[in-house]
Amino acid sequence: MSDTHAQTAAFVRDSMIQQQDPPVSQSGAVKWVRENLFSSWLNIILTLASLWFIWAALSHLLPWMLRGIWQADSLAQCRAIRDELYGPDVSAACWAVITERWNQLLFGFYPQDLYWRPVLAFVLFLVAIAPVLFQGLPKKMLGFSLLSPFVIFWLIWGGSIWGPVAIALGFVVGWAVTRYLTPVIGVLSGVIATILAPIVYWLLVAAPLAGLLQDILPLGITPVGSKDIGGFMLALVIGVSGIVLSLPLGILLALGRQSDMFLINKVSVTFIETIRGVPLIVWLFTASLLLNYFLPPGTNFDLMLRVIIMVTLFASAYIAEVVRGGLAALPKGQYEAAGALGLDYWNSMRLIILPQALKISIPGIVNTFIGLFKDTTLVMIIGMMDPLFLANAIRATTDWNGVYWELFVFIGLCFFVFCFSMGRYSLFLEKKLRREHR
């Protein structure tokens, strides 16, 4: 510093001061509260109103929940215990209905001595889906992921083991047509043949083949009818089946809608617009009542299978539009780059286009899956024993007539766990695939 400036300056520091912590109002929780809750008069009013609302809700809800009665044989006994402990004017939840009927809410009328089968099926599902959702696991587990649907089907419904084996062979037939016949007859004819060959096999060959194998080597477990499957287990079977099947079908429909082939384009557009233009409840009534009129006389088409098919088709139409939005969001240069590399249509989609489009579409896809899983409660309209159907049946009994909130809190909590888990995984996947700043 020059001598002239030093003489005119009021103060010149000639030594470093010690490092100090920032003011309390500018760091930590105090700073967050000031910036997010009390940054303006409007925020102050909204914060105080929100705190009052939360206090008013919890002051009534928490005592009702914490004073709950867990051991009772009926609502009358539950109220008698409440009167003895807290007095007749105090509200207390009757959680005894959950203690008494939890197995019915979770499994419906599935035989109690066979509960281990759906539990084991759920564990196998978690193991099978792990290598699909998370990286770092052995690739060999993907083989189990492909076989697990047939094992899970056999565990839940039981019966002969050769039925699932015969159904699985249908996918082998489709793979063989794609691998060996498509190069000979062309892409369009190959796609049609790949779809029709397994269907023809399942309709004409699968059942006789399963019966023949069962006669040669009888293997099976106790069969359980679909009418006995209910509760949250029913919601999981329909929801998970619809989610797993609708994603690949929705991707194919999205690609078909963008195809330059006239027939494939128009069929995809017609399917998507028809399915999306009709409420799901109408399609469920179609599956329940009208579908049998289009089947040969004497055909026994399981109601749950019909519902799964309709739910899958309904969800796939919405997935197709979500994926199409992701495809439309990609710059044209990505398609041109794939062509410049000499990739054909399917390899360009598999290696370049679809990975980017699906990353963009993750929030919409997961949102559709969550909506689909919650919409499984609509099957009660056609007489299937979902959790809400069973809750109404429990409330209609003499012992528990009058119970209301306890059942719906339990059902809502079960749905919340799965829907919240899907939402958190969506955020995890978006964060993992975010590469813009790397």
Side-chain angles (χ1 to χ4, degrees), residues 257 269-280 283 313-322 324:
R257 184 158 189 168
V269 171
T270 302
F271 176 88
I272 293 171
E273 297 302 331
T274 301
I275 294 294
R276 289 199 309 159
V278 180
L280 177 58
W283 292 118
L313 296 179
F314 186 82
S316 64
Y318 285 87
I319 292 294
E321 289 300 283
V322 173
R324 188 171 70 90

Short mmCIF file of all heavy atoms in Angstrom, two decimals, residues 257 269-280 283 313-322 324:
data_model
loop_
_atom_site.label_atom_id
_atom_site.label_comp_id
_atom_site.label_asym_id
_atom_site.label_seq_id
_atom_site.Cartn_x
_atom_site.Cartn_y
_atom_site.Cartn_z
N ARG A 257 -46.33 -46.79 -32.70
CA ARG A 257 -47.01 -45.53 -33.04
C ARG A 257 -46.10 -44.60 -33.82
O ARG A 257 -46.57 -43.78 -34.61
CB ARG A 257 -47.50 -44.85 -31.77
CG ARG A 257 -48.30 -43.59 -32.04
CD ARG A 257 -49.19 -43.22 -30.90
NE ARG A 257 -50.09 -42.15 -31.27
CZ ARG A 257 -51.15 -41.77 -30.56
NH1 ARG A 257 -51.42 -42.40 -29.42
NH2 ARG A 257 -51.94 -40.80 -30.96
N VAL A 269 -52.00 -46.94 -32.97
CA VAL A 269 -52.78 -45.74 -32.65
C VAL A 269 -54.20 -46.12 -32.25
O VAL A 269 -54.75 -45.61 -31.25
CB VAL A 269 -52.79 -44.78 -33.85
CG1 VAL A 269 -53.79 -43.64 -33.61
CG2 VAL A 269 -51.40 -44.20 -34.09
N THR A 270 -54.81 -47.04 -33.01
CA THR A 270 -56.19 -47.46 -32.69
C THR A 270 -56.26 -48.11 -31.32
O THR A 270 -57.17 -47.83 -30.51
CB THR A 270 -56.69 -48.44 -33.77
OG1 THR A 270 -56.63 -47.81 -35.05
CG2 THR A 270 -58.12 -48.86 -33.47
N PHE A 271 -55.31 -48.98 -31.03
CA PHE A 271 -55.30 -49.66 -29.72
C PHE A 271 -55.14 -48.65 -28.59
O PHE A 271 -55.91 -48.66 -27.61
CB PHE A 271 -54.16 -50.67 -29.68
CG PHE A 271 -54.00 -51.36 -28.36
CD1 PHE A 271 -54.71 -52.51 -28.07
CD2 PHE A 271 -53.14 -50.85 -27.38
CE1 PHE A 271 -54.57 -53.14 -26.84
CE2 PHE A 271 -53.01 -51.48 -26.16
CZ PHE A 271 -53.72 -52.63 -25.90
N ILE A 272 -54.17 -47.75 -28.70
CA ILE A 272 -53.90 -46.78 -27.62
C ILE A 272 -55.10 -45.87 -27.38
O ILE A 272 -55.54 -45.67 -26.25
CB ILE A 272 -52.63 -45.98 -27.94
CG1 ILE A 272 -51.40 -46.88 -27.90
CG2 ILE A 272 -52.46 -44.82 -26.96
CD1 ILE A 272 -50.14 -46.21 -28.40
N GLU A 273 -55.64 -45.32 -28.45
CA GLU A 273 -56.75 -44.37 -28.30
C GLU A 273 -58.01 -45.05 -27.81
O GLU A 273 -58.78 -44.48 -27.04
CB GLU A 273 -57.01 -43.66 -29.63
CG GLU A 273 -55.85 -42.82 -30.13
CD GLU A 273 -55.43 -41.76 -29.13
OE1 GLU A 273 -56.28 -41.28 -28.36
OE2 GLU A 273 -54.23 -41.40 -29.12
N THR A 274 -58.24 -46.31 -28.23
CA THR A 274 -59.43 -47.03 -27.77
C THR A 274 -59.32 -47.35 -26.29
O THR A 274 -60.28 -47.15 -25.52
CB THR A 274 -59.61 -48.32 -28.58
OG1 THR A 274 -59.74 -48.00 -29.97
CG2 THR A 274 -60.86 -49.07 -28.13
N ILE A 275 -58.17 -47.87 -25.87
CA ILE A 275 -58.00 -48.25 -24.47
C ILE A 275 -58.05 -47.01 -23.57
O ILE A 275 -58.71 -47.01 -22.52
CB ILE A 275 -56.67 -49.00 -24.28
CG1 ILE A 275 -56.69 -50.35 -25.01
CG2 ILE A 275 -56.38 -49.21 -22.79
CD1 ILE A 275 -57.68 -51.34 -24.44
N ARG A 276 -57.37 -45.94 -23.95
CA ARG A 276 -57.33 -44.74 -23.11
C ARG A 276 -58.67 -44.01 -23.09
O ARG A 276 -58.96 -43.26 -22.15
CB ARG A 276 -56.25 -43.77 -23.61
CG ARG A 276 -54.85 -44.24 -23.36
CD ARG A 276 -53.88 -43.09 -23.43
NE ARG A 276 -54.05 -42.30 -24.64
CZ ARG A 276 -53.65 -41.05 -24.78
NH1 ARG A 276 -53.08 -40.44 -23.77
NH2 ARG A 276 -53.82 -40.41 -25.92
N GLY A 277 -59.49 -44.22 -24.09
CA GLY A 277 -60.76 -43.50 -24.16
C GLY A 277 -61.88 -44.10 -23.34
O GLY A 277 -62.97 -43.54 -23.28
N VAL A 278 -61.63 -45.26 -22.72
CA VAL A 278 -62.66 -45.96 -21.94
C VAL A 278 -62.16 -46.14 -20.52
O VAL A 278 -61.00 -46.52 -20.31
CB VAL A 278 -62.98 -47.33 -22.58
CG1 VAL A 278 -64.06 -48.05 -21.77
CG2 VAL A 278 -63.43 -47.16 -24.02
N PRO A 279 -62.98 -45.85 -19.49
CA PRO A 279 -62.53 -46.02 -18.09
C PRO A 279 -62.15 -47.46 -17.78
O PRO A 279 -62.67 -48.41 -18.38
CB PRO A 279 -63.75 -45.57 -17.27
CG PRO A 279 -64.57 -44.76 -18.21
CD PRO A 279 -64.33 -45.31 -19.58
N LEU A 280 -61.24 -47.61 -16.81
CA LEU A 280 -60.79 -48.95 -16.42
C LEU A 280 -61.93 -49.80 -15.91
O LEU A 280 -61.97 -51.01 -16.17
CB LEU A 280 -59.70 -48.83 -15.35
CG LEU A 280 -59.16 -50.13 -14.77
CD1 LEU A 280 -58.59 -51.02 -15.86
CD2 LEU A 280 -58.13 -49.86 -13.69
N TRP A 283 -63.56 -51.68 -18.66
CA TRP A 283 -62.78 -52.82 -19.12
C TRP A 283 -62.85 -53.97 -18.12
O TRP A 283 -62.83 -55.15 -18.53
CB TRP A 283 -61.32 -52.41 -19.35
CG TRP A 283 -61.14 -51.47 -20.49
CD1 TRP A 283 -60.66 -50.20 -20.46
CD2 TRP A 283 -61.44 -51.74 -21.87
NE1 TRP A 283 -60.64 -49.64 -21.71
CE2 TRP A 283 -61.11 -50.57 -22.61
CE3 TRP A 283 -61.95 -52.84 -22.56
CZ2 TRP A 283 -61.29 -50.48 -23.98
CZ3 TRP A 283 -62.12 -52.76 -23.92
CH2 TRP A 283 -61.79 -51.60 -24.62
N LEU A 313 -53.35 -54.43 -20.50
CA LEU A 313 -53.62 -53.68 -21.73
C LEU A 313 -53.91 -52.21 -21.42
O LEU A 313 -53.46 -51.31 -22.15
CB LEU A 313 -54.80 -54.31 -22.47
CG LEU A 313 -54.58 -55.74 -22.99
CD1 LEU A 313 -55.84 -56.25 -23.67
CD2 LEU A 313 -53.39 -55.82 -23.92
N PHE A 314 -54.65 -51.97 -20.34
CA PHE A 314 -54.98 -50.59 -19.97
C PHE A 314 -53.73 -49.81 -19.60
O PHE A 314 -53.52 -48.68 -20.06
CB PHE A 314 -55.97 -50.61 -18.79
CG PHE A 314 -56.50 -49.26 -18.42
CD1 PHE A 314 -57.55 -48.70 -19.10
CD2 PHE A 314 -55.94 -48.55 -17.36
CE1 PHE A 314 -58.05 -47.45 -18.76
CE2 PHE A 314 -56.43 -47.31 -17.01
CZ PHE A 314 -57.48 -46.75 -17.71
N ALA A 315 -52.87 -50.42 -18.77
CA ALA A 315 -51.65 -49.72 -18.35
C ALA A 315 -50.68 -49.54 -19.51
O ALA A 315 -49.99 -48.52 -19.60
CB ALA A 315 -50.98 -50.48 -17.21
N SER A 316 -50.63 -50.52 -20.42
CA SER A 316 -49.68 -50.42 -21.53
C SER A 316 -50.01 -49.25 -22.45
O SER A 316 -49.10 -48.65 -23.03
CB SER A 316 -49.68 -51.73 -22.32
OG SER A 316 -50.94 -51.97 -22.93
N ALA A 317 -51.29 -48.90 -22.59
CA ALA A 317 -51.65 -47.75 -23.42
C ALA A 317 -51.10 -46.46 -22.83
O ALA A 317 -50.62 -45.58 -23.57
CB ALA A 317 -53.17 -47.68 -23.56
N TYR A 318 -51.15 -46.33 -21.51
CA TYR A 318 -50.61 -45.13 -20.87
C TYR A 318 -49.09 -45.13 -20.89
O TYR A 318 -48.46 -44.08 -21.08
CB TYR A 318 -51.14 -45.03 -19.44
CG TYR A 318 -52.57 -44.58 -19.36
CD1 TYR A 318 -53.61 -45.50 -19.44
CD2 TYR A 318 -52.89 -43.24 -19.22
CE1 TYR A 318 -54.94 -45.10 -19.38
CE2 TYR A 318 -54.21 -42.83 -19.16
CZ TYR A 318 -55.23 -43.76 -19.24
OH TYR A 318 -56.55 -43.35 -19.20
N ILE A 319 -48.49 -46.30 -20.67
CA ILE A 319 -47.02 -46.39 -20.74
C ILE A 319 -46.54 -46.02 -22.14
O ILE A 319 -45.51 -45.36 -22.31
CB ILE A 319 -46.57 -47.82 -20.37
CG1 ILE A 319 -46.83 -48.10 -18.89
CG2 ILE A 319 -45.09 -48.00 -20.67
CD1 ILE A 319 -46.02 -47.28 -17.94
N ALA A 320 -47.30 -46.43 -23.17
CA ALA A 320 -46.90 -46.13 -24.55
C ALA A 320 -46.81 -44.62 -24.77
O ALA A 320 -45.86 -44.13 -25.41
CB ALA A 320 -47.90 -46.76 -25.52
N GLU A 321 -47.76 -43.87 -24.24
CA GLU A 321 -47.73 -42.42 -24.43
C GLU A 321 -46.61 -41.77 -23.62
O GLU A 321 -46.00 -40.79 -24.05
CB GLU A 321 -49.08 -41.82 -24.05
CG GLU A 321 -50.19 -42.16 -25.02
CD GLU A 321 -49.87 -41.64 -26.42
OE1 GLU A 321 -50.01 -40.43 -26.66
OE2 GLU A 321 -49.45 -42.45 -27.27
N VAL A 322 -46.33 -42.32 -22.44
CA VAL A 322 -45.23 -41.79 -21.64
C VAL A 322 -43.89 -42.01 -22.36
O VAL A 322 -43.05 -41.11 -22.46
CB VAL A 322 -45.21 -42.44 -20.24
CG1 VAL A 322 -43.97 -42.03 -19.48
CG2 VAL A 322 -46.46 -42.05 -19.46
N ARG A 324 -43.51 -42.55 -25.56
CA ARG A 324 -43.50 -41.74 -26.79
C ARG A 324 -43.08 -40.31 -26.49
O ARG A 324 -42.38 -39.67 -27.29
CB ARG A 324 -44.89 -41.74 -27.44
CG ARG A 324 -44.92 -41.08 -28.81
CD ARG A 324 -46.26 -41.33 -29.47
NE ARG A 324 -47.32 -40.59 -28.82
CZ ARG A 324 -47.70 -39.36 -29.14
NH1 ARG A 324 -47.09 -38.71 -30.11
NH2 ARG A 324 -48.69 -38.77 -28.50
#
